[in-house]
Amino acid sequence: MTTPLNKAILLTLSAAAAATALTATALPAQAAGDPRPQTPALSWHPCAKPGGPATQECADLPVPLDYDDPDGPQITVAVSRVRSDRPQARRGTLVVIPGGPGGSGVQRLTQKGAALQQQLAGAYDLVAFDPRGVGGSTTATCGLAPDDRYLTSLRSWPGPDGDVTENLARSRRTAEACARNGGPVLRSFTTLNQVRDMDRLREVLGERKLSAWGVSYGTYVGAVYAQTYPGRTDRWVLDSSGDPDPKRVARGWLANMGQGADDRFPDFAAWAAHPDRDRDGLRLAQRPEEVEPLLLSLFASLDRAPRPSTTPGVPLTGNGLRQALQNTLYSDSAFPGFARLVAALRDPAHTPALPPELARPLRDEDAAQLVAVLCNDVTWPAGSAADYRRAVDEDRARHPLTAGMPVNVSPCSFWKDAPEHKPVKITGHGPSGILMIQSRRDPSTPHSKSLKMRQALGDRAVLVTVEQGGHGVYLGNGNACGDRTVTRFLTTGRGPVQDTTCAN
């Protein structure tokens, strides 16, 4: 049903898309009888940012709000490119697919574009886009209160001793707010629509095939694209994959984070107990096995009595410190900052400074997109309060570092709209040319679960396991062997003939 507010939104979106189309030049006419509306060319403009490639350009791509109604309301997707600086070496277009849900492809291209240019030696035009709901693309809001938009709220960390009462109340009001305020735009935030938008970008660029590098959630987007459009994929890199189980999708990814934290934490514990840390005052324990009990004690203490922080009105809670640890485990480079925070907390007189991602709520648009993709892709079980208390208690006992958060209730359990499409089942049907790369100790997408993606893809893929910890391997965690393997695959097409490992 279209409310007056939603109708006004749709009219505004259609007008914006029409204005965008008027600034673009048309591609050659499509074949007679093709029912699709003619796709305009992109109107590129410079958009270089400090630290990014000097030649980066941006544009707006009109796409259907609903691909089942291609002539209906249009929205816009922000796209960006860095053209090959060696045209004679160019062999195609590489799409950089961000993680998330909620990651900005435009921002990631800014961050990684220069490194990719150096590694790939002009073999590709580099392109990326902000998924609908993100950054410069059309967004939607749920109208959530600021307290419900902190990362520690959106991640459904339980209360002290595993209490889920507030999680249940927050999840319900979040789902109700999104149903009340999000409208058809919010309902369009799905993985399948992101895949369709990516293929529309391919079409506008005039490419018969795309190559891609997807990271984290971007590996699922990449896998769904390769399943949906197998004849349009060239060289495909899936970096840090989760389990693509179509019955669970994001619910499974969250549930696996407890195991991921357990796999990865020994790396931090060994670092934090190493004698070298004495030099900078960051040695947290004499032995690695003492680090986890120390943190569990701090978590419990902050649960009972949160510490005032340097951010007025935002104390450091036990869940805040748990979330900070989860973020830290993504990269060794984050270890010193977290150790510094823990060391400071051991001084009762110290006022801790919150990590930036914990110090302020997410924008309503960003929170809406994050929640919507998780909930729109697949139906989540409702469950009772007793069901969630039992699940949290069991998971807390099994994985103390994540305290039951990965299996706790979320807004998806109260979501008002059923998925419009069934999740895509990933299979081995289609051309080969998929290189998977994965850390052995990944805190977010554990290696044991990436094997589910490997199994699903069958003979289409080869898996490279990097014998280190962290999330995001290529050009991310400093593994020379992993970087060489991906670069060689993208530039020459040559990859391992069978699953293999990289030490360094």
Side-chain angles (χ1 to χ4, degrees):
M1 179 177 179
T2 302
T3 66
L5 175 60
N6 288 338
K7 186 175 181 180
I9 292 172
L10 294 180
L11 291 173
T12 301
L13 294 172
S14 297
T20 301
L22 288 173
T23 65
T25 57
L27 289 174
Q30 291 170 261
D34 190 336
R36 295 171 302 168
Q38 184 156 305
T39 304
L42 294 171
S43 181
W44 295 100
H45 62 271
C47 62
K49 295 289 192 298
T55 57
Q56 188 168 358
E57 300 174 292
C58 293
D60 290 322
L61 171 68
V63 298
L65 175 63
D66 180 357
Y67 276 93
D68 292 335
D69 182 18
D71 295 317
Q74 305 285 297
I75 60 176
T76 58
V77 168
V79 301
S80 187
R81 74 176 177 187
V82 178
R83 304 185 79 170
S84 168
D85 54 359
R86 304 180 195 180
Q88 70 282 3
R90 183 188 180 278
R91 63 170 309 277
T93 293
L94 176 78
V95 181
V96 177
I97 311 175
S104 165
V106 174
Q107 184 181 65
R108 186 156 183 83
L109 184 58
T110 299
Q111 295 167 342
K112 297 294 185 180
L116 284 167
Q117 283 182 301
Q118 182 178 5
Q119 289 285 320
L120 303 181
Y124 297 94
D125 288 345
L126 309 173
V127 302
F129 64 99
D130 286 349
R132 47 179 79 191
V134 175
S137 297
T138 297
T139 60
T141 64
C142 287
L144 301 181
D147 283 352
D148 290 342
R149 290 189 267 114
Y150 281 92
L151 190 54
T152 47
S153 301
L154 292 167
R155 277 286 175 89
S156 285
W157 289 96
D161 301 316
D163 182 60
V164 301
T165 305
E166 178 56 29
N167 299 126
L168 285 160
R170 181 185 295 116
S171 295
R172 188 185 297 276
R173 67 175 175 261
T174 296
E176 290 173 350
C178 290
R180 188 168 56 248
N181 301 314
V185 176
L186 187 78
R187 291 195 295 273
S188 80
F189 297 168
T190 67
T191 297
L192 186 58
N193 276 337
Q194 184 172 339
V195 163
R196 289 165 161 172
D197 293 345
M198 182 169 152
D199 196 59
R200 178 59 60 91
L201 177 58
R202 175 201 60 79
E203 183 181 19
V204 171
L205 294 172
E207 295 285 6
R208 187 172 61 88
K209 293 185 176 184
L210 294 172
S211 293
W213 169 38
V215 181
S216 194
Y217 166 67
T219 65
Y220 180 66
V221 175
V224 172
Y225 186 98
Q227 187 71 39
T228 307
Y229 305 111
R232 300 173 188 175
T233 64
D234 188 8
R235 297 172 186 171
W236 223 246
V237 177
L238 305 183
D239 182 345
S240 305
S241 302
D243 182 353
D245 181 357
K247 295 180 180 179
R248 289 164 61 84
V249 193
R251 185 163 60 94
W253 305 336
L254 284 169
N256 294 334
M257 291 179 73
Q259 184 61 56
D262 290 349
D263 292 346
R264 171 63 162 152
F265 184 77
D267 292 338
F268 173 74
W271 180 93
H274 197 280
D276 284 353
R277 303 288 85 78
D278 284 329
R279 292 198 297 258
D280 45 23
L282 298 183
R283 192 176 186 186
L284 302 182
Q286 295 300 304
R287 297 179 298 170
E289 57 268 29
E290 296 171 351
V291 178
E292 182 172 346
L294 164 66
L295 289 182
L296 294 178
S297 176
L298 271 176
F299 296 154
S301 174
L302 292 169
D303 283 341
R304 294 188 299 270
R307 289 274 287 273
S309 77
T310 56
T311 303
V314 186
L316 180 60
T317 64
N319 285 337
L321 191 61
R322 291 182 182 99
Q323 183 63 59
L325 173 63
Q326 180 67 34
N327 296 345
T328 294
L329 297 178
Y330 276 50
S331 174
D332 289 9
S333 64
F335 288 0
F338 183 75
R340 196 170 293 114
L341 175 61
V342 172
L345 286 170
R346 300 171 84 174
D347 176 1
H350 184 82
T351 301
L354 296 177
E357 64 272 14
L358 301 181
R360 62 189 64 86
L362 274 67
R363 297 188 316 150
D364 194 26
E365 296 89 341
D366 296 335
Q369 203 275 349
L370 170 62
V371 172
V373 175
L374 300 181
C375 302
N376 285 335
D377 270 2
V378 66
T379 299
W380 291 50
S384 66
D387 292 333
Y388 285 109
R389 279 195 295 268
R390 186 181 310 110
V392 165
D393 287 346
E394 291 174 356
D395 208 60
R396 282 168 61 87
R398 191 177 301 118
H399 307 293
L401 291 170
T402 47
M405 176 274 292
V407 300
N408 200 5
V409 64
S410 84
C412 303
S413 297
F414 301 101
W415 208 243
K416 304 302 181 183
D417 298 295
E420 293 188 1
H421 305 94
K422 290 183 177 180
V424 173
K425 182 180 180 180
I426 306 303
T427 73
H429 302 305
S432 59
I434 299 176
L435 178 70
M436 293 178 60
I437 188 163
Q438 193 86 18
S439 290
R440 177 71 73 183
R441 300 179 299 281
D442 188 313
S444 183
T445 54
H447 187 273
S448 58
K449 305 306 177 182
S450 74
L451 297 178
K452 300 289 187 179
M453 178 73 85
R454 173 68 186 87
Q455 182 181 21
L457 290 169
D459 291 339
R460 298 191 67 184
V462 171
L463 172 64
V464 178
T465 297
V466 175
E467 299 290 356
Q468 65 179 48
H471 184 65
V473 179
Y474 186 52
L475 306 181
N477 272 305
N479 186 276
C481 170
D483 289 351
R484 284 195 307 269
T485 302
V486 174
T487 296
R488 183 171 62 248
F489 172 72
L490 289 174
T491 54
T492 70
R494 296 194 302 272
V497 297
Q498 60 186 11
D499 294 354
T500 189
T501 60
C502 266
N504 207 326

